Amino acid sequence: MRTLLVVSGGDAPGVNAALYHYTRAAALNGDEVFGAIGAFEGLLQEQLKPLSPQELDPVVGQGGSYLPSSREPVLKEASNCERLKGVLERHCIDNLVLFGGDGTLSNLAAILQSLNIACLGIPATIDNDVPGSELTLGFASACSMAQQMIDGLRATARALPGRAFAVEVLGGHTGFLALDIAYAAGADAVLIPEYAYDLGRIAKRLQDAARTYRYGLVIYSEGIGDSQRFTQAMHAHGLHVRSSKLGHAQRGAPPVHQDRKLAADMALLAYHTLQQGARQGTVLVQQGKVRFLRTTVATLPRRLPERSLYERVNGLPAAPRENTR
Ligand code: F6P
């Protein structure tokens, strides 16, 4: 069997570990593994190379992706789809393993299916927003990195009391990342795109926290859109706000143990499933277990961040926003 590993869209901590585990399992069974250089954009230029576990060994514990990724939507063009088929045929590729987030697994996996290219998807994104999967590769590491950075903020916040610290985290148009981080950090408030929020009440919670605990802490997802409006509103309520953006450093976090284990579980299940002849499907986490589902995630319902957690962090009932996808 000759399998091509493709990393598409935003990289995620743990992807390198998954590339390693897949390649190692395949090598042990005499199967061949190739890697796409620059995802589908690179593949159209025949940018692929053989992979070995020895080559991947040094990057197992590193964030990012050993295989360069791309966000270029090249497969939207029918002529590129035909070119891709030609490349795969010329290199005698039997099947693909596709690593990516919601966009990659909902759109690209469906295109590959329509081209009758055998492909298994592995949800890999710090956003944790892939339909049908309770967890995605990289989420735990991004949360862990955020907690370390927030610990730094807490130290300086305690030292100069009376202020509020607003922390913007990644997450795309979703709030899974912000909510988990806020809850675990014991933040006084969290703002995410999926649920409505009342700026006046958030300001009051931050003021109370600044009085009681020396400082207030609010986490918000980049997906809420106008973050400046939010911080200006906090200032207008008399709060001394200091803002920080965790940004892409979160995505480049070193993979924590949980992500490395998930990487191994997902990669090995993908390998054995392909070995048994599967041609389509996705490896997902459901009810705490890594499973294989014979479908692309495009057909699965979208998830929402846990409402009860949102209510607990903010101390108020949450109402769905109209623009919730
Ligand atoms: O991969 C997901 C993600 O990290 C989102 O959290 C974020 O909004 C986006 O990618 C950033 O993308 P880019 O690296 O293209 O700026």
Side-chain angles (χ1 to χ4, degrees):
M1 183 167 79
R2 283 162 76 96
T3 302
L4 177 66
L5 308 183
V6 184
V7 179
S8 173
D11 50 277
V15 160
N16 286 331
L19 299 176
Y20 170 77
H21 282 287
Y22 189 97
T23 307
R24 186 162 168 260
L28 283 172
N29 285 291
D31 287 321
E32 289 175 86
V33 182
F34 295 78
I37 316 290
F40 295 101
E41 190 188 11
L43 279 177
L44 293 178
Q45 314 299 323
E46 308 238 4
Q47 296 288 310
L48 65 164
K49 61 180 236 165
L51 291 177
S52 70
Q54 291 83 349
E55 182 183 354
L56 291 162
D57 184 276
V59 299
V60 166
Q62 290 177 15
S65 171
Y66 181 74
L67 295 174
S69 182
S70 165
R71 286 198 192 279
E72 284 307 309
V74 290
L75 295 188
K76 280 193 171 158
E77 283 179 38
S79 60
N80 284 341
C81 291
E82 284 312 308
R83 274 174 62 201
L84 175 69
K85 282 184 91 166
V87 172
L88 299 181
E89 271 163 30
R90 269 194 298 287
H91 292 268
C92 303
I93 298 296
D94 297 307
N95 42 44
L96 267 63
V97 175
L98 181 59
F99 296 87
D102 179 28
T104 295
L105 297 187
S106 294
N107 306 325
L108 295 184
I111 294 176
L112 295 170
Q113 187 170 20
S114 71
L115 296 170
N116 198 26
I117 294 171
C119 172
L120 295 199
I122 292 191
T125 169
I126 63 167
D127 298 350
N128 201 21
D129 61 345
V130 173
S133 195
E134 288 157 13
L135 195 59
T136 57
L137 203 51
F139 179 68
S141 306
C143 287
S144 179
M145 166 68 95
Q147 297 300 348
Q148 285 173 33
M149 290 165 151
I150 290 168
D151 284 345
L153 291 178
R154 304 179 96 106
T156 186
R158 278 193 305 273
L160 242 170
R163 299 184 294 179
F165 283 76
V167 181
E168 179 180 310
V169 303
L170 293 182
H173 57 266
T174 67
F176 294 95
L177 195 61
L179 180 55
D180 245 57
I181 291 167
Y183 175 63
D188 304 297
V190 62
L191 278 71
I192 58 176
E194 291 86 347
Y195 299 118
Y197 41 81
D198 176 336
L199 292 178
R201 288 193 68 170
I202 289 176
K204 168 96 175 51
R205 279 179 73 78
L206 292 174
Q207 272 155 351
D208 290 349
R211 267 193 298 273
T212 317
Y213 305 108
R214 293 193 181 187
Y215 66 92
L217 177 64
V218 54
I219 312 291
Y220 62 93
S221 162
E222 61 173 349
I224 65 162
D226 197 350
S227 59
Q228 248 191 343
R229 198 185 125 246
F230 165 63
T231 41
Q232 275 164 4
M234 294 300 103
H235 279 294
H237 278 89
L239 280 153
H240 300 292
V241 186
R242 295 291 182 273
S243 308
S244 306
K245 277 189 187 189
L246 301 193
H248 288 67
Q250 264 185 295
R251 204 168 73 191
V256 295
H257 170 77
Q258 189 186 351
D259 273 327
R260 295 192 200 197
K261 185 163 182 279
L262 187 59
D265 285 345
M266 288 178 152
L268 295 179
L269 183 58
Y271 173 67
H272 291 300
T273 308
L274 285 174
Q275 239 195 354
Q276 284 160 16
R279 292 191 53 80
Q280 304 297 339
T282 316
V283 172
L284 298 168
V285 181
Q286 289 186 336
Q287 292 167 337
K289 288 206 159 54
V290 175
R291 297 171 191 273
F292 171 68
L293 215 68
R294 259 176 218 287
T295 173
T296 66
V297 300
T299 58
L300 301 175
R302 296 200 163 275
R303 295 182 303 118
L304 276 178
E306 198 181 322
R307 192 184 173 111
S308 60
L309 213 56
Y310 178 84
E311 291 172 354
R312 209 176 312 166
V313 176
N314 283 321
L316 43 83
R321 272 169 66 137
E322 279 171 18
N323 67 356
T324 297
R325 291 207 318 159

